[in-house]
Amino acid sequence: QGRVSGKQGRSTAGHWGEPMKARRATYDERVRLSVLLNQEMVKKFEDSSANAWRRLFEWMDDDLSGKISFEEFDDMVRGELNLSPEQLSDEDLKAVWVALDDDQSGYVTHDEFNNFMRIGAHTVQGGEPWIDHHALKADETYAARVSAAEEELRVMHRPFEHRFLVQAPPPTNAPEGATRVYNRGGILIRSDPHVAAVDRHGNDFSATQFHR
């Protein structure tokens, strides 16, 4: 490959291997890093064409697997292109990787890397910026997944009584509708549905076959 990897003396790989909730870089953040990589690539290879992207990818692909891991990507950005944390923080670098590794396979393919480099190539090749519409659509899908996960988490963290106790229904006029109005000696009296009915003389009704 023509270079000695600097990963042996760096602890970055172990740090990124730990479970963490990494954010996904925005499209503009990815364009910014793509521009920086294109500019540094031209300094290194004196070539701004897509052929230089292949050479850069091959330099990163230490194990000749045809795909790169985050450790290889990180080693190239820090060790070969010499982008400092002041130029690009570790958090932002990881966030860009999360966006590039859209299927969460842990690797980025040659085609994915080429698309990433293309969005910032206009700064060294001239012309209008190329828009990666597929990546923009993936950003929308990711945002929707995050929103759904946050809503699910919000529901799960509701107080116990809100999650498991049934709320009382709103009041209605059903009790009033169950009452009757009787004329007792010229006086209108509304019956109470919770009191046994009586005849107009105040006596209980005799039992019928339905009360047995």
Side-chain angles (χ1 to χ4, degrees), residues 93-117:
L93 179 61
K94 181 61 178 179
V96 170
W97 175 263
V98 170
L100 297 184
D101 182 22
D102 190 52
D103 60 358
Q104 300 181 10
S105 65
Y107 298 95
V108 169
T109 65
H110 196 177
D111 287 342
E112 290 170 333
F113 181 72
N114 281 355
N115 287 340
F116 166 64
M117 293 297 290

Side-chain angles (χ1 to χ4, degrees), residues 156-191:
M156 291 301 297
H157 286 177
R158 287 185 303 169
F160 177 87
E161 58 271 17
H162 291 174
R163 293 162 55 197
F164 298 105
L165 299 184
V166 177
Q167 300 297 313
T172 68
N173 61 353
E176 182 178 351
T179 63
R180 296 290 184 271
V181 177
Y182 296 93
N183 186 341
R184 293 181 179 175
I187 300 175
L188 298 179
I189 299 177
R190 183 181 295 275
S191 67

Side-chain angles (χ1 to χ4, degrees), residues 48 121-129:
S48 63
H122 60 282
T123 58
V124 294
Q125 295 178 354
E128 294 295 322

Side-chain angles (χ1 to χ4, degrees), residues 12 37 43-44 68 72 77 94 138 142 156 167 170-171 186:
T12 310
L37 291 186
K43 294 177 183 177
K44 191 171 192 67
I68 55 174
E72 291 170 326
V77 170
K94 181 61 178 179
Y142 178 83
M156 291 301 297
Q167 300 297 313

Side-chain angles (χ1 to χ4, degrees), residues 57-73:
F57 186 89
E58 290 175 350
W59 271 59
M60 283 188 286
D61 187 15
D62 289 330
D63 57 4
L64 302 177
S65 63
K67 53 190 178 182
I68 55 174
S69 65
F70 175 75
E71 288 74 19
E72 291 170 326
F73 182 64

